Amino acid sequence: MTNDEWARLRKDNHKEVERRRRGNINEGINELGRIVPNGSGEKAKGAILSRAVQYIHHLKENEARNIEKWTLEKLLMDQAMGDLQAQLDEMRRMWEEERVSRQRAEAELELLRGHGSSAGAGGASVPSAGAGGSAAAAEAPSSSAKENGKRGRDESDAPDGEAAKGQGGAAEGDDRTKRSRVE
């Protein structure tokens, strides 16, 4: 190979490399033209590159706004989740307290029922619920105590001497009371 042939070959190779490089650049610019929104419809390489730069800036601004928005939403969501967790914990605590209180009341009720059946029908007094007692146990007097209370009221309303007579005398006492009122 001579010097001229060598120079020609080298020059041809360089032209081919430059042709491929320009082809790659043109393909890239054309691809940007298809991707980037086309406001003016220009096909010039400079206009396409300018629009691409503007579009990239626009995307970066949107990304920054979205990141800020998502960060704020995440913070608010975390705060709401924390509040809900605190409410859940409080409800669990209250539920547990109610469960324990109910168990205590049921145990006291069983205890009272046990004392009531073993005391018999003699009208034994119901033990006090005490400081730790429940409202259910205090509000559930025995049926014999209720009956005694009714008798006590009936007897206290009767005229003197009638209380000792019992049920039969109360009916007679009613007649006498009516007669004395008429007179």
Side-chain angles (χ1 to χ4, degrees):
M1 221 191 245
T2 66
N3 256 349
D4 289 333
E5 289 175 356
W6 175 251
R8 185 182 263 316
L9 184 59
R10 201 168 145 206
K11 194 174 184 179
D12 289 342
N13 284 339
H14 178 69
K15 285 180 182 178
E16 184 60 32
V17 168
E18 276 299 309
R19 194 175 303 127
R20 276 186 267 154
R21 187 181 70 78
R22 283 192 309 270
N24 287 337
I25 290 172
N26 287 335
E27 284 179 27
I29 291 173
N30 290 335
E31 184 68 22
L32 279 174
R34 284 189 292 271
I35 293 173
V36 175
N38 192 357
S40 61
E42 290 187 48
K43 298 282 183 177
K45 293 176 187 176
I48 292 172
L49 290 174
S50 176
R51 280 196 335 256
V53 168
Q54 289 174 350
Y55 187 62
I56 290 169
H57 285 301
H58 173 74
L59 290 176
K60 283 186 171 187
E61 289 171 4
N62 280 347
E63 181 185 27
R65 277 194 302 267
N66 286 338
I67 288 173
E68 184 178 328
K69 176 182 156 189
W70 295 332
T71 303
L72 180 61
E73 285 177 357
K74 184 180 183 314
L75 288 173
L76 291 173
M77 187 64 69
D78 289 346
Q79 183 179 11
M81 288 296 291
D83 291 347
L84 288 174
Q85 187 64 44
Q87 288 177 0
L88 178 63
D89 292 343
E90 178 66 14
M91 293 302 289
R92 283 181 177 160
R93 184 191 61 78
M94 289 171 55
W95 183 83
E96 183 62 24
E97 286 176 1
E98 288 296 320
R99 186 183 66 77
V100 168
S101 177
R102 189 191 72 223
Q103 286 177 343
R104 190 176 300 130
E106 288 173 354
E108 288 179 15
L109 185 60
E110 280 300 315
L111 183 67
L112 289 174
R113 284 182 181 158
H115 282 301
S117 64
S118 66
S125 64
V126 177
S128 171
S134 68
E139 292 177 2
S142 68
S143 60
S144 63
K146 287 181 183 177
E147 291 171 8
N148 288 339
K150 287 181 185 176
R151 282 191 210 129
R153 279 183 298 213
D154 291 341
E155 293 170 1
S156 66
D157 291 2
D160 290 338
E162 293 296 323
K165 291 184 178 179
Q167 293 287 46
E172 292 173 12
D174 287 343
D175 292 337
R176 288 183 200 157
T177 308
K178 288 178 187 174
R179 279 188 226 145
S180 62
R181 286 185 193 156
V182 174
E183 299 173 0

